[in-house]
Amino acid sequence: MSLSTDYVPSRIKSTDPLHEPWLLTEAEREVFRQRSRESRLRRQAALDGRGEEPIHEVNIPQFDPMALMPERDPNGLPTLSLFSGGGGLDLGFDRAGFSHVGSWEILSDAADTLKTAHPEWNVHGGEDGDVRGVDWNVYRENVAIVHGGPPCQPFSNAGKQRGAADPRDMWPEFVRAVLEARPDVFVAENVAALASATFSDYVEQTILARLGRHYRIHRVLLQAYEYGVPQVRKRVVFFGFRTRTIERRWVAPTPRFRRTGAPANGLPETMGVRAALGLPDTGFDDLSPTIRSALSGPRHTTSILSSVSAQKRFEALRIWPNGVAATREAAQAFVAKNGHFRLSVPDVALLQGFPESWRFSGAVYMQLGQIGNSVAPPVGYAVASSVADALLR
Ligand SMILES: C[S@@+](CC[C@H](N)C(=O)[O-])C[C@H]1O[C@@H](n2cnc3c(N)ncnc32)[C@H](O)[C@@H]1O
């Protein structure tokens, strides 16, 4: 008998069409069920006022991401956004003055986030947001920018790194959109692993060979804390320029902040997590480890942990990164087992560089997934500003 006949499907229906559930036996599923039952009971008791006494105040954050993205004058340059998620890149381009023509996002909850933030935007969500069904020729020569972050799971260090063999690989769709719409500039973001040797053949064949015939392409690695975001988060951004003139005028984004705790170098220092969230001084503060990006992973989770080293850093920061609560009040009421500060969705959004006003739709795991999948908006803003400067010069 093959092992796979022992696997049983999850009873929890996924709201994510790209979700790949874990293959688990009944006994393995029961362990997870038991754990989440206990956690649910503790959380419910806390919310009903039957929990332990709160050990921390409802925090008042000190970090304002909007201050990192001063609104630029509208530049009228029409922009298409693919794989828009919860809108990190869209927000960056918007603050940099670009004109929004349309966003496409297959997850209805993420599309709702965009519609809530900008009811005037033309957001295609759910089935209508699936880029595979769009004929981009209708935008041919009529858009200045096509930008997007094709799903990173096929390349992420946290995943199986199947690259082109992963059915979630949407790079060919991004390439098709650029070749059909022919914008002046394209911008594509992904996990830094895509710039590693493991995927050099993939990048060469799928991206550079096809787009390189029409675009001059630059690859830039960007670190979120160098743009004032209190998090270690390295990403690769591909910039493609259709003409040599635009390419020559372009200057890649350069760091605007120095790492928390690094020696003075003339740049302002990025806030540590505790300072950013307005938590009491414990004598130690540092950047947040990379917030997990795993919406389509094997398990829905309300943890933001991406690695064992991330867990160690959160421990040193006296922050509990699991069971993230929906609100700051709920986080205060639901005391973490180890007595550390419990995070809430608005806190996690802030650590990713989203302003308080940006509200995410869906269940908590879905909101966290949108946040963890996003381009930190101040990074998106730096990217968009560099392109605006080249196009408007
Ligand atoms: C890495 S996230 C993009 C995040 C976004 N750039 C941001 O800054 O917030 C990739 C997104 O692509 C979406 N996606 C995956 N396949 C899609 C498809 N076929 N059509 C449209 N969106 C898709 C996923 O739901 C996910 O939200």
Side-chain angles (χ1 to χ4, degrees), residues 131-148:
V131 299
R132 289 171 293 189
V134 183
D135 177 3
W136 305 103
N137 285 299
V138 297
Y139 299 100
R140 200 174 184 103
E141 312 288 351
N142 284 328
V143 286
I145 311 280
V146 167
H147 69 72

Side-chain angles (χ1 to χ4, degrees), residues 141-171:
E141 312 288 351
N142 284 328
V143 286
I145 311 280
V146 167
H147 69 72
C152 54
Q153 287 86 358
F155 312 102
S156 169
N157 285 326
K160 295 181 189 141
Q161 297 201 312
R162 285 181 294 180
D166 193 311
R168 295 166 297 182
D169 178 22
M170 289 289 147
W171 269 99

Side-chain angles (χ1 to χ4, degrees), residues 18 83-85 87-89 105-107 129-132 149 151 373-375:
L18 305 169
F83 312 104
S84 314
L89 208 45
E105 168 54 52
I106 201 167
L107 286 182
D130 189 339
V131 299
R132 289 171 293 189
N373 264 345
S374 67
V375 174

Side-chain angles (χ1 to χ4, degrees), residues 16-18 81-91 104-107 110 114 124 126-127 129-133 147-153 168 170 173 189-190 293 295-296 352 354 360 369-377:
D16 177 353
L18 305 169
S81 162
L82 278 66
F83 312 104
S84 314
L89 208 45
D90 288 39
L91 174 56
W104 282 262
E105 168 54 52
I106 201 167
L107 286 182
L114 300 173
H124 303 261
E127 222 173 281
D130 189 339
V131 299
R132 289 171 293 189
H147 69 72
C152 54
Q153 287 86 358
R168 295 166 297 182
M170 289 289 147
E173 282 296 320
E189 177 266 0
N190 223 275
S293 58
L295 203 49
S296 312
Q352 184 77 357
F354 281 95
F360 294 87
Q370 291 169 52
I371 296 167
N373 264 345
S374 67
V375 174

Side-chain angles (χ1 to χ4, degrees), residues 183-188 215-218 238-243:
D184 296 325
V185 179
F186 76 76
V187 170
Y215 287 84
R216 294 150 202 284
I217 302 172
H218 294 254
F238 292 82
F239 293 83
F241 303 98
R242 220 173 117 189
T243 67

Side-chain angles (χ1 to χ4, degrees), residues 122 237-238 244 264 270 309:
N122 178 21
V237 179
F238 292 82
R244 189 182 289 276
T270 297
S309 63

Side-chain angles (χ1 to χ4, degrees), residues 137 151 153 182 212 231 273 285 301 306 315 339 362 380:
N137 285 299
Q153 287 86 358
R182 290 291 163 94
Q231 188 190 146
V273 184
D285 204 356
T301 176
S306 54
E315 265 168 33

